[in-house]
């Protein structure tokens, strides 16, 4: 009794009452769980092993998930970097073609809003204003800037066949000659097959080994 510090000093009646409570609890728990102590211990060990396996499985999946997340983050950074470089390349090519008429421009691509806007600056001997809305351009200027933008896109993509129809509408003679020369030089340099269709005179285009002209007869009234 002295070794049991938590019952030291208790009267026999108190000890008897406590023993009775313990017996009642033991009987109550025995009715709730019919298994023996050995069976409960075996069940506990089985559950513990199952939990351990689940923890190991979770840890394995967590390692794979972290690897996938790192790969995704790396690809996303590369995508953002490539997207920025492509916007710059598009503007450079756009300016290269615009420069043949002394025009400069800028292309802004908002990937989040999915909006592409074009800004043009007229030659120094003209208005010297920056046009942010292509509707403010004349018909010929709009056609030429659209042609330059199209060629900039063509320069960044690959295709075995390309076709353009009525690309020189509303252009004056000077702009049309520049456009035709630009298109023919571009097509020959890139080596793909192009088909240009225009209702205007194409006599200014010089035929060559890789350039063929075909003129249809005028429609009859």
């Amino acid at each position: 009794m002295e070794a049991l510090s938590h019952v030291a000093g208790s009267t026999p009646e108190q000890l008897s009452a406590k023993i009775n409570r313990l017996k009642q609890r033991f009987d109550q728990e025995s009715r709730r769980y019919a298994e023996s102590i050995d069976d409960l211990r075996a069940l506990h060990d089985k559950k513990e092993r199952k939990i351990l396996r689940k923890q190991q499985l979770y840890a394995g999946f967590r390692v794979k998930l972290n690897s996938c997340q790192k790969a995704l983050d790396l690809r996303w950074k590369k995508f953002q970097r490539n997207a920025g470089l492509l916007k710059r390349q598009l503007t450079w090519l756009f300016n290269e073609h615009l420069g043949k008429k002394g025009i400069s421009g800028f292309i802004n691509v908002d990937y989040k809003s999915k909006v592409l806007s074009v800004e043009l600056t007229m030659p120094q001997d003209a208005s010297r204003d920056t046009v942010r809305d292509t509707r403010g351009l004349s018909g010929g200027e709009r056609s030429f800037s659209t042609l330059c933008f199209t060629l900039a896109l063509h320069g960044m993509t690959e295709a075995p066949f390309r076709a353009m129809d009525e690309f020189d509408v509303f252009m004056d003679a000077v702009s049309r000659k520049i456009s035709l020369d630009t298109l023919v030089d571009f097509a020959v340099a890139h080596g793909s097959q192009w088909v240009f269709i225009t209702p205007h005179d194409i006599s200014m285009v010089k035929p060559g080994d890789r350039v063929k002209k075909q003129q249809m007869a005028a429609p009859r009234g």
Side-chain angles (χ1 to χ4, degrees), residues 167-195:
F167 51 87
D168 53 355
V169 292
F170 305 116
M171 289 186 183
D172 54 31
V174 176
S175 298
R176 186 174 299 115
K177 184 179 187 310
I178 294 175
S179 299
L180 283 173
D181 292 340
T182 300
L183 286 172
V184 173
D185 294 341
F186 185 89
V188 172
H190 283 71
S192 55
Q193 182 173 347
W194 287 68
V195 178

Side-chain angles (χ1 to χ4, degrees), residues 87 107-117:
K87 287 197 294 186
I107 296 177
N108 181 37
V109 182
D110 189 341
Y111 291 103
K112 186 176 181 180
S113 302
K114 299 180 180 179
V115 175
L116 184 147
S117 57

Side-chain angles (χ1 to χ4, degrees), residues 48-193:
E48 195 172 45
R49 291 192 298 269
K50 185 175 181 180
I51 292 174
L52 180 60
R53 289 195 301 269
K54 294 295 184 181
Q55 290 176 338
Q56 293 173 344
L57 184 63
Y58 170 81
F61 281 127
R62 173 55 62 182
V63 171
K64 294 180 180 179
L65 180 61
N66 291 338
S67 299
C68 292
Q69 186 65 47
K70 290 180 181 178
L72 178 61
D73 293 340
L74 180 61
R75 291 189 179 188
W76 176 245
K77 290 180 181 179
K78 288 184 177 180
F79 171 80
Q80 289 181 315
R81 180 175 179 272
N82 290 338
L85 293 176
L86 287 175
K87 287 197 294 186
R88 295 180 186 178
Q89 182 183 3
L90 184 60
T91 295
W92 292 337
L93 294 175
F94 184 54
N95 271 290
E96 180 182 350
H97 298 301
L98 286 175
K100 296 178 180 180
K101 282 195 66 176
I103 305 174
S104 61
F106 176 78
I107 296 177
N108 181 37
V109 182
D110 189 341
Y111 291 103
K112 186 176 181 180
S113 302
K114 299 180 180 179
V115 175
L116 184 147
S117 57
V118 178
E119 297 180 5
L120 296 177
T121 301
M122 295 297 104
Q124 295 296 329
D125 58 349
S127 61
R128 302 178 63 179
D129 293 331
T130 297
V131 180
R132 290 181 172 83
D133 189 347
T134 54
R135 289 176 296 183
L137 299 172
S138 65
E141 291 171 341
R142 191 183 306 119
S143 297
F144 183 75
S145 60
T146 301
L147 175 64
C148 294
F149 173 70
T150 304
L151 289 180
L153 290 178
H154 281 308
M156 298 171 60
T157 57
E158 295 183 1
F161 301 96
R162 303 175 193 261
M164 298 185 70
D165 180 23
E166 295 188 4
F167 51 87
D168 53 355
V169 292
F170 305 116
M171 289 186 183
D172 54 31
V174 176
S175 298
R176 186 174 299 115
K177 184 179 187 310
I178 294 175
S179 299
L180 283 173
D181 292 340
T182 300
L183 286 172
V184 173
D185 294 341
F186 185 89
V188 172
H190 283 71
S192 55
Q193 182 173 347

Side-chain angles (χ1 to χ4, degrees), residues 6 19 23 30 34 41 46 49 91 121 140 147 186 200 220:
H6 60 282
I19 291 174
K23 285 183 177 179
S30 297
R41 185 175 290 110
K46 181 180 179 181
R49 291 192 298 269
T91 295
T121 301
L147 175 64
F186 185 89
H200 298 99
R220 296 180 180 178

Side-chain angles (χ1 to χ4, degrees), residues 25-39:
R25 183 178 178 185
F26 178 79
D27 293 339
Q28 182 180 2
E29 295 297 330
S30 297
R31 288 192 298 270
R32 289 180 59 189
Y33 303 102
E35 298 87 350
S36 64
I37 294 295
D38 294 335
D39 293 338

